Amino acid sequence: MELDPAFGTNIHLPPEEAAGYLKKSQLATKPEEERLFLHLDHFLSDFFETSPSDAISLLLTLLFQFADSKLHEHMSRTIITFIQRKIKEKKIIPANIEVFQPEYNLWRFIERTQLKRYIETFQVQIDQDDLLDFASEMWVKNRLDDSVQTAAEFGLSAALNDNFDVIKTLISKTRFDLIERFVKNDLDLVHQALRLIPVTEFKVGAKLIFQHRLNSLDYPEIHKRATEASIRYSIDFDKICIYQLIEITYKNPEAISLITEHLAKQNPKKKMWAVKIASFLYRKFEYIKIDKGLERKLQKTPQRDCKGLPVVFAPLDPSVELFLDIPRERVIFVDRVEQLNDIKWYGDYAGLDSEWKSNILRFDDNKPAILQIALDDVIYIFDLFELNSVPEFNELLERLFQSDIIKLGVSFDGDSNNMKRHYPQLLSFSKDMKNYIDICKAYGKIFKKSPGGLAGACELLLGKPLSKFEQMSNWENRPLRESQVHYAALDAYIQIVLWKKMQTETSTPLSSFLNNKKKIYKGDPSCEYCSSKLHPTTSCPYGNRCKICFHHGHNPNNCPN
């Protein structure tokens, strides 16, 4: 990259001396940002007092010295932030700064990921043709990342693709990471990329389909490959038992067929249980379509008697896992408008949670099915499918969310975002919640480490783990199984128990926990078998879980459930 010959003619310090001038400030290494700001303040304070335009010119010229350095992005981000601070501090109007004018071409020194921020922050006017010429120049010089970043940021991807057949070139170079960036927000380019991406790279195509909310069935080969991969992962690796997988997918003929086929392919000498379950599924669901050879194999294989998922109001293993200590009749399922009139919010605390059917398949995007709200002596489970469009329900939630009652949750902002996306009519989720405390962040603030999640916090504070078995279940069941009701109720209620316990462990004022966004990531490792925080995997007293029923203590071939 070459400097514009006209640049710097009015700067007190010539641009070519910029690097030497600031060498003393140790900018050749990557210091902490605040320390770097102190250096810049020290060396440039006089410039900003007498000639802010000169000071800004000097800083931007400095970026030229880092154009081919690994520090370019860091320096661009840091210097832009520093200039922002100074403009605000000195009340400088960007339009009055000469070097921000288009003829200086200083934007060419800015690292590509920071360019849009630079233009918007300092109100720099750049012609679209100049930006396209720059992106084209970078492409010709084989600086693909810079070219793609510039084109994508400024809506020039289609024009650049017309000039250079960018998508085909990126595919030939296996730069699928750049394709995702290049086609962003341009559906025509997304469709073009999906038609050109080879089937062997179905994961790339699946990601594009999911990100842009497209119908995966329009790309049948990608859909099939991605669905097969999801099923294989769920059976072979994921922490979900076969019973749950069947419950979640039984209404999907394609998924059940793929599950049956994958189980049927297992070696009978090692996984006879899998082949027997495949035989059971083949006989139970008439719509299953699998390979003819596997059909003959299953016709000769005795089927396994499948007892299904638990139906009692209890955790999976009541002897070692937390049990809800509120009577069953105080857990109320709400699915009718007339029930809403009887609900009153009271007490000091409310535990919040929501559940949705597990997104097992690659293109699943299941809506939240229930919302749980626990008070001290009653727990409500709201049916979102029935109530999401009821104004009285939204008003009821609004009264709670904006009340003085302390709301307790674990990453409930994620639940809220999910609600806003699927149920935009529930406006109560669009407002900032008043008096919200995140249980895991509160734990981190008190004990200076992460509990790893709600189950970890329960084990560390209450001595027993919280069963997470039903988390991966079909929350669209109506009615819910009793074990699902127990899980849903306990997940919300236990947060009140945990918060009361934590209050006995700290003198930190309540106000410092409210709407705290700071997260502590470091924590003790979890046991790979039972997720316990109290012992390592090597000394787990339970051992691995059964893939059929998820209980400890036996392998699938000997599963009694």
Side-chain angles (χ1 to χ4, degrees), residues 244 312-316 321-322 324 331 353-356 370 372 379 381 454-455 466-473 475 480-495:
Q244 288 173 313
V312 295
F313 187 73
L316 185 66
E321 294 169 332
L322 285 169
L324 183 67
V331 180
D353 195 20
S354 67
E355 307 293 343
W356 52 89
I370 60 170
Q372 309 101 278
I379 303 161
I381 299 177
L454 184 61
L466 181 72
S467 174
K468 301 300 288 183
F469 172 71
E470 290 292 358
Q471 184 179 43
M472 300 283 284
S473 64
W475 291 100
L480 295 173
R481 289 179 286 101
E482 280 295 285
S483 54
Q484 286 182 296
V485 174
H486 181 274
Y487 171 85
L490 184 57
D491 238 30
Y493 179 75
I494 203 65
Q495 297 178 81

Short mmCIF file of all heavy atoms in Angstrom, two decimals, residues 244 312-316 321-322 324 331 353-356 370 372 379 381 454-455 466-473 475 480-495:
data_model
loop_
_atom_site.label_atom_id
_atom_site.label_comp_id
_atom_site.label_asym_id
_atom_site.label_seq_id
_atom_site.Cartn_x
_atom_site.Cartn_y
_atom_site.Cartn_z
N GLN A 244 -35.44 -40.91 24.54
CA GLN A 244 -35.69 -39.48 24.32
C GLN A 244 -35.65 -39.15 22.84
O GLN A 244 -36.48 -38.38 22.33
CB GLN A 244 -34.65 -38.65 25.07
CG GLN A 244 -34.82 -38.64 26.58
CD GLN A 244 -33.67 -37.94 27.26
OE1 GLN A 244 -32.51 -38.20 26.94
NE2 GLN A 244 -33.97 -37.06 28.19
N VAL A 312 -43.42 -40.84 36.42
CA VAL A 312 -43.72 -40.50 37.81
C VAL A 312 -43.22 -39.10 38.13
O VAL A 312 -42.28 -38.60 37.51
CB VAL A 312 -43.11 -41.52 38.79
CG1 VAL A 312 -43.74 -42.88 38.59
CG2 VAL A 312 -41.60 -41.60 38.62
N PHE A 313 -43.84 -38.47 39.13
CA PHE A 313 -43.47 -37.11 39.55
C PHE A 313 -42.22 -37.20 40.42
O PHE A 313 -42.28 -37.18 41.65
CB PHE A 313 -44.64 -36.50 40.32
CG PHE A 313 -44.45 -35.04 40.65
CD1 PHE A 313 -44.55 -34.07 39.67
CD2 PHE A 313 -44.18 -34.63 41.95
CE1 PHE A 313 -44.38 -32.73 39.97
CE2 PHE A 313 -44.01 -33.30 42.26
CZ PHE A 313 -44.11 -32.34 41.27
N ALA A 314 -41.07 -37.30 39.75
CA ALA A 314 -39.80 -37.49 40.46
C ALA A 314 -38.65 -37.30 39.49
O ALA A 314 -38.84 -37.35 38.27
CB ALA A 314 -39.74 -38.90 41.07
N PRO A 315 -37.43 -37.09 40.01
CA PRO A 315 -36.26 -37.06 39.13
C PRO A 315 -35.94 -38.46 38.64
O PRO A 315 -36.54 -39.45 39.09
CB PRO A 315 -35.15 -36.51 40.03
CG PRO A 315 -35.56 -36.90 41.41
CD PRO A 315 -37.06 -36.84 41.42
N LEU A 316 -34.98 -38.59 37.74
CA LEU A 316 -34.63 -39.89 37.18
C LEU A 316 -34.15 -40.85 38.27
O LEU A 316 -34.52 -42.02 38.29
CB LEU A 316 -33.53 -39.72 36.12
CG LEU A 316 -33.14 -40.98 35.34
CD1 LEU A 316 -34.30 -41.46 34.48
CD2 LEU A 316 -31.92 -40.70 34.47
N GLU A 321 -30.65 -37.57 43.53
CA GLU A 321 -30.92 -36.28 42.90
C GLU A 321 -31.98 -35.50 43.67
O GLU A 321 -32.80 -36.08 44.38
CB GLU A 321 -31.36 -36.50 41.44
CG GLU A 321 -30.25 -37.08 40.57
CD GLU A 321 -30.73 -37.54 39.21
OE1 GLU A 321 -31.92 -37.91 39.08
OE2 GLU A 321 -29.91 -37.54 38.27
N LEU A 322 -31.96 -34.19 43.51
CA LEU A 322 -32.88 -33.32 44.23
C LEU A 322 -34.34 -33.62 43.88
O LEU A 322 -34.67 -33.86 42.71
CB LEU A 322 -32.58 -31.85 43.91
CG LEU A 322 -31.33 -31.26 44.58
CD1 LEU A 322 -31.01 -29.90 43.97
CD2 LEU A 322 -31.54 -31.12 46.08
N LEU A 324 -38.39 -32.18 44.37
CA LEU A 324 -39.18 -30.99 44.66
C LEU A 324 -39.93 -31.16 45.97
O LEU A 324 -40.66 -32.14 46.16
CB LEU A 324 -40.18 -30.74 43.52
CG LEU A 324 -41.03 -29.48 43.62
CD1 LEU A 324 -40.16 -28.23 43.48
CD2 LEU A 324 -42.11 -29.48 42.54
N VAL A 331 -48.26 -27.37 41.91
CA VAL A 331 -47.68 -27.17 40.59
C VAL A 331 -48.84 -27.12 39.60
O VAL A 331 -49.53 -28.12 39.38
CB VAL A 331 -46.70 -28.30 40.21
CG1 VAL A 331 -46.12 -28.06 38.82
CG2 VAL A 331 -45.59 -28.41 41.25
N ASP A 353 -37.90 -19.83 34.16
CA ASP A 353 -37.26 -20.76 33.23
C ASP A 353 -38.23 -21.02 32.08
O ASP A 353 -39.43 -20.72 32.19
CB ASP A 353 -36.90 -22.07 33.93
CG ASP A 353 -35.91 -22.91 33.12
OD1 ASP A 353 -35.24 -22.34 32.24
OD2 ASP A 353 -35.83 -24.12 33.35
N SER A 354 -37.72 -21.56 31.00
CA SER A 354 -38.59 -21.97 29.88
C SER A 354 -37.99 -23.21 29.24
O SER A 354 -36.80 -23.49 29.40
CB SER A 354 -38.74 -20.84 28.85
OG SER A 354 -37.52 -20.58 28.19
N GLU A 355 -38.81 -23.94 28.52
CA GLU A 355 -38.36 -25.18 27.87
C GLU A 355 -38.92 -25.24 26.45
O GLU A 355 -40.00 -24.72 26.16
CB GLU A 355 -38.85 -26.42 28.64
CG GLU A 355 -38.52 -26.44 30.12
CD GLU A 355 -37.05 -26.54 30.44
OE1 GLU A 355 -36.26 -26.93 29.53
OE2 GLU A 355 -36.67 -26.21 31.58
N TRP A 356 -38.16 -25.90 25.58
CA TRP A 356 -38.63 -26.17 24.22
C TRP A 356 -38.09 -27.52 23.78
O TRP A 356 -37.11 -28.03 24.33
CB TRP A 356 -38.21 -25.08 23.24
CG TRP A 356 -36.74 -24.76 23.25
CD1 TRP A 356 -35.76 -25.34 22.52
CD2 TRP A 356 -36.09 -23.76 24.06
NE1 TRP A 356 -34.54 -24.78 22.80
CE2 TRP A 356 -34.72 -23.80 23.74
CE3 TRP A 356 -36.55 -22.83 25.01
CZ2 TRP A 356 -33.79 -22.95 24.35
CZ3 TRP A 356 -35.62 -22.00 25.61
CH2 TRP A 356 -34.27 -22.05 25.28
N ILE A 370 -43.11 -24.09 26.97
CA ILE A 370 -43.66 -23.73 28.28
C ILE A 370 -42.80 -22.65 28.93
O ILE A 370 -41.61 -22.51 28.62
CB ILE A 370 -43.76 -24.94 29.23
CG1 ILE A 370 -42.37 -25.54 29.49
CG2 ILE A 370 -44.73 -25.98 28.71
CD1 ILE A 370 -42.34 -26.59 30.60
N GLN A 372 -42.00 -21.44 32.93
CA GLN A 372 -42.22 -21.76 34.34
C GLN A 372 -41.92 -20.54 35.20
O GLN A 372 -40.88 -19.89 35.02
CB GLN A 372 -41.31 -22.91 34.80
CG GLN A 372 -41.35 -24.14 33.92
CD GLN A 372 -40.16 -24.21 32.98
OE1 GLN A 372 -40.15 -23.58 31.93
NE2 GLN A 372 -39.14 -24.99 33.35
N ILE A 379 -46.00 -23.07 41.92
CA ILE A 379 -45.25 -23.02 40.67
C ILE A 379 -46.24 -23.09 39.51
O ILE A 379 -47.08 -24.00 39.46
CB ILE A 379 -44.24 -24.18 40.57
CG1 ILE A 379 -43.29 -24.16 41.76
CG2 ILE A 379 -43.45 -24.09 39.25
CD1 ILE A 379 -42.59 -25.46 42.01
N ILE A 381 -46.83 -23.44 35.42
CA ILE A 381 -46.26 -23.85 34.13
C ILE A 381 -47.24 -23.39 33.05
O ILE A 381 -48.35 -23.90 32.94
CB ILE A 381 -46.06 -25.37 34.07
CG1 ILE A 381 -45.09 -25.83 35.17
CG2 ILE A 381 -45.53 -25.78 32.70
CD1 ILE A 381 -44.88 -27.33 35.23
N LEU A 454 -26.74 -24.52 36.44
CA LEU A 454 -27.68 -24.65 37.55
C LEU A 454 -27.46 -25.95 38.32
O LEU A 454 -27.48 -25.97 39.56
CB LEU A 454 -29.12 -24.59 37.02
CG LEU A 454 -30.23 -24.60 38.07
CD1 LEU A 454 -30.12 -23.40 39.01
CD2 LEU A 454 -31.60 -24.61 37.39
N ALA A 455 -27.24 -27.06 37.60
CA ALA A 455 -27.03 -28.35 38.27
C ALA A 455 -25.79 -28.31 39.14
O ALA A 455 -25.77 -28.84 40.26
CB ALA A 455 -26.93 -29.47 37.23
N LEU A 466 -28.90 -31.64 40.48
CA LEU A 466 -30.21 -31.46 39.87
C LEU A 466 -30.26 -32.34 38.63
O LEU A 466 -29.40 -32.25 37.75
CB LEU A 466 -30.38 -29.99 39.48
CG LEU A 466 -31.70 -29.58 38.83
CD1 LEU A 466 -32.82 -29.60 39.85
CD2 LEU A 466 -31.56 -28.19 38.22
N SER A 467 -31.23 -33.22 38.55
CA SER A 467 -31.35 -34.09 37.38
C SER A 467 -31.67 -33.25 36.15
O SER A 467 -32.65 -32.51 36.13
CB SER A 467 -32.45 -35.12 37.60
OG SER A 467 -32.66 -35.87 36.40
N LYS A 468 -30.84 -33.37 35.11
CA LYS A 468 -31.09 -32.64 33.86
C LYS A 468 -31.61 -33.57 32.77
O LYS A 468 -31.64 -33.20 31.59
CB LYS A 468 -29.79 -31.96 33.39
CG LYS A 468 -29.19 -30.98 34.38
CD LYS A 468 -30.13 -29.83 34.72
CE LYS A 468 -30.29 -28.85 33.59
NZ LYS A 468 -31.16 -27.70 33.97
N PHE A 469 -32.02 -34.77 33.16
CA PHE A 469 -32.43 -35.77 32.18
C PHE A 469 -33.54 -35.27 31.28
O PHE A 469 -33.48 -35.40 30.05
CB PHE A 469 -32.87 -37.05 32.91
CG PHE A 469 -33.49 -38.08 32.00
CD1 PHE A 469 -32.72 -38.78 31.10
CD2 PHE A 469 -34.86 -38.32 32.05
CE1 PHE A 469 -33.29 -39.72 30.26
CE2 PHE A 469 -35.44 -39.27 31.21
CZ PHE A 469 -34.65 -39.96 30.32
N GLU A 470 -34.58 -34.70 31.85
CA GLU A 470 -35.75 -34.31 31.05
C GLU A 470 -35.51 -33.06 30.20
O GLU A 470 -36.35 -32.72 29.38
CB GLU A 470 -36.95 -34.08 31.97
CG GLU A 470 -37.51 -35.34 32.60
CD GLU A 470 -38.16 -36.28 31.58
OE1 GLU A 470 -38.22 -35.94 30.39
OE2 GLU A 470 -38.61 -37.36 32.00
N GLN A 471 -34.38 -32.41 30.39
CA GLN A 471 -34.10 -31.23 29.57
C GLN A 471 -34.15 -31.58 28.09
O GLN A 471 -34.65 -30.81 27.27
CB GLN A 471 -32.73 -30.66 29.94
CG GLN A 471 -32.38 -29.37 29.21
CD GLN A 471 -31.02 -28.83 29.63
OE1 GLN A 471 -30.06 -29.58 29.77
NE2 GLN A 471 -30.94 -27.54 29.84
N MET A 472 -33.62 -32.75 27.74
CA MET A 472 -33.57 -33.19 26.34
C MET A 472 -34.80 -34.03 26.01
O MET A 472 -34.69 -35.17 25.55
CB MET A 472 -32.30 -34.01 26.11
CG MET A 472 -31.02 -33.28 26.39
SD MET A 472 -30.57 -32.12 25.09
CE MET A 472 -29.96 -33.24 23.84
N SER A 473 -35.97 -33.48 26.26
CA SER A 473 -37.18 -34.26 25.98
C SER A 473 -38.13 -33.45 25.10
O SER A 473 -37.86 -32.31 24.73
CB SER A 473 -37.86 -34.68 27.29
OG SER A 473 -38.31 -33.57 28.03
N TRP A 475 -40.93 -31.26 24.80
CA TRP A 475 -41.77 -30.37 25.60
C TRP A 475 -43.04 -29.96 24.88
O TRP A 475 -43.84 -29.18 25.40
CB TRP A 475 -40.96 -29.14 26.03
CG TRP A 475 -39.90 -29.53 27.01
CD1 TRP A 475 -38.58 -29.73 26.76
CD2 TRP A 475 -40.09 -29.81 28.39
NE1 TRP A 475 -37.93 -30.12 27.90
CE2 TRP A 475 -38.84 -30.17 28.93
CE3 TRP A 475 -41.20 -29.78 29.25
CZ2 TRP A 475 -38.66 -30.51 30.26
CZ3 TRP A 475 -41.02 -30.11 30.58
CH2 TRP A 475 -39.77 -30.47 31.08
N LEU A 480 -47.96 -33.16 29.41
CA LEU A 480 -46.58 -33.48 29.75
C LEU A 480 -46.56 -34.73 30.62
O LEU A 480 -47.50 -34.99 31.39
CB LEU A 480 -45.95 -32.33 30.54
CG LEU A 480 -45.77 -30.99 29.81
CD1 LEU A 480 -45.29 -29.93 30.79
CD2 LEU A 480 -44.79 -31.12 28.65
N ARG A 481 -45.50 -35.52 30.49
CA ARG A 481 -45.32 -36.63 31.43
C ARG A 481 -45.07 -36.06 32.82
O ARG A 481 -44.52 -34.97 32.96
CB ARG A 481 -44.16 -37.52 30.99
CG ARG A 481 -44.43 -38.35 29.75
CD ARG A 481 -43.23 -39.19 29.34
NE ARG A 481 -42.17 -38.38 28.73
CZ ARG A 481 -41.07 -37.99 29.35
NH1 ARG A 481 -40.87 -38.30 30.63
NH2 ARG A 481 -40.15 -37.27 28.73
N GLU A 482 -45.42 -36.81 33.86
CA GLU A 482 -45.26 -36.32 35.22
C GLU A 482 -43.79 -36.03 35.56
O GLU A 482 -43.49 -35.11 36.31
CB GLU A 482 -45.84 -37.32 36.22
CG GLU A 482 -47.35 -37.25 36.34
CD GLU A 482 -47.81 -35.92 36.94
OE1 GLU A 482 -47.66 -35.72 38.15
OE2 GLU A 482 -48.30 -35.06 36.16
N SER A 483 -42.89 -36.82 35.01
CA SER A 483 -41.47 -36.55 35.27
C SER A 483 -41.03 -35.25 34.61
O SER A 483 -40.15 -34.55 35.12
CB SER A 483 -40.61 -37.72 34.77
OG SER A 483 -40.88 -38.00 33.42
N GLN A 484 -41.65 -34.89 33.48
CA GLN A 484 -41.38 -33.59 32.87
C GLN A 484 -41.91 -32.46 33.74
O GLN A 484 -41.25 -31.42 33.91
CB GLN A 484 -42.04 -33.51 31.48
CG GLN A 484 -41.35 -34.32 30.39
CD GLN A 484 -42.04 -34.14 29.06
OE1 GLN A 484 -43.20 -34.53 28.89
NE2 GLN A 484 -41.35 -33.57 28.09
N VAL A 485 -43.10 -32.65 34.29
CA VAL A 485 -43.69 -31.63 35.18
C VAL A 485 -42.77 -31.40 36.38
O VAL A 485 -42.52 -30.26 36.78
CB VAL A 485 -45.09 -32.06 35.65
CG1 VAL A 485 -45.64 -31.07 36.68
CG2 VAL A 485 -46.04 -32.16 34.46
N HIS A 486 -42.26 -32.50 36.95
CA HIS A 486 -41.36 -32.38 38.10
C HIS A 486 -40.10 -31.60 37.73
O HIS A 486 -39.67 -30.69 38.45
CB HIS A 486 -40.98 -33.77 38.63
CG HIS A 486 -40.08 -33.73 39.82
ND1 HIS A 486 -38.70 -33.66 39.71
CD2 HIS A 486 -40.35 -33.73 41.15
CE1 HIS A 486 -38.17 -33.62 40.92
NE2 HIS A 486 -39.15 -33.67 41.81
N TYR A 487 -39.51 -31.95 36.59
CA TYR A 487 -38.29 -31.27 36.15
C TYR A 487 -38.55 -29.78 35.92
O TYR A 487 -37.78 -28.92 36.37
CB TYR A 487 -37.78 -31.91 34.86
CG TYR A 487 -36.65 -31.13 34.22
CD1 TYR A 487 -35.33 -31.33 34.61
CD2 TYR A 487 -36.91 -30.16 33.25
CE1 TYR A 487 -34.30 -30.59 34.05
CE2 TYR A 487 -35.88 -29.43 32.68
CZ TYR A 487 -34.58 -29.65 33.08
OH TYR A 487 -33.57 -28.91 32.53
N ALA A 488 -39.62 -29.46 35.20
CA ALA A 488 -39.92 -28.07 34.86
C ALA A 488 -40.16 -27.24 36.13
O ALA A 488 -39.66 -26.12 36.26
CB ALA A 488 -41.14 -28.00 33.95
N ALA A 489 -40.92 -27.80 37.06
CA ALA A 489 -41.23 -27.09 38.30
C ALA A 489 -39.97 -26.88 39.14
O ALA A 489 -39.71 -25.78 39.65
CB ALA A 489 -42.28 -27.86 39.09
N LEU A 490 -39.18 -27.93 39.27
CA LEU A 490 -37.98 -27.85 40.11
C LEU A 490 -36.94 -26.90 39.52
O LEU A 490 -36.28 -26.16 40.26
CB LEU A 490 -37.37 -29.25 40.28
CG LEU A 490 -36.15 -29.37 41.21
CD1 LEU A 490 -36.49 -28.85 42.60
CD2 LEU A 490 -35.66 -30.80 41.27
N ASP A 491 -36.81 -26.88 38.21
CA ASP A 491 -35.83 -26.00 37.56
C ASP A 491 -36.08 -24.53 37.90
O ASP A 491 -35.13 -23.75 38.04
CB ASP A 491 -35.88 -26.20 36.04
CG ASP A 491 -34.53 -26.62 35.48
OD1 ASP A 491 -33.77 -27.28 36.20
OD2 ASP A 491 -34.23 -26.28 34.32
N ALA A 492 -37.34 -24.15 38.01
CA ALA A 492 -37.66 -22.76 38.35
C ALA A 492 -37.59 -22.54 39.85
O ALA A 492 -37.02 -21.55 40.33
CB ALA A 492 -39.06 -22.41 37.82
N TYR A 493 -38.15 -23.48 40.62
CA TYR A 493 -38.25 -23.29 42.07
C TYR A 493 -36.89 -23.34 42.77
O TYR A 493 -36.64 -22.59 43.72
CB TYR A 493 -39.16 -24.38 42.65
CG TYR A 493 -39.31 -24.30 44.16
CD1 TYR A 493 -40.11 -23.32 44.74
CD2 TYR A 493 -38.64 -25.19 45.00
CE1 TYR A 493 -40.25 -23.24 46.12
CE2 TYR A 493 -38.77 -25.11 46.37
CZ TYR A 493 -39.57 -24.14 46.93
OH TYR A 493 -39.70 -24.05 48.29
N ILE A 494 -35.99 -24.20 42.28
CA ILE A 494 -34.71 -24.39 42.98
C ILE A 494 -33.88 -23.11 42.97
O ILE A 494 -32.99 -22.93 43.81
CB ILE A 494 -33.93 -25.56 42.34
CG1 ILE A 494 -32.93 -26.15 43.34
CG2 ILE A 494 -33.23 -25.13 41.06
CD1 ILE A 494 -33.56 -26.80 44.54
N GLN A 495 -34.17 -22.21 42.05
CA GLN A 495 -33.41 -20.96 41.99
C GLN A 495 -33.69 -20.08 43.22
O GLN A 495 -32.81 -19.38 43.70
CB GLN A 495 -33.74 -20.22 40.69
CG GLN A 495 -33.30 -21.03 39.48
CD GLN A 495 -33.64 -20.39 38.16
OE1 GLN A 495 -32.92 -19.51 37.70
NE2 GLN A 495 -34.71 -20.83 37.54
#
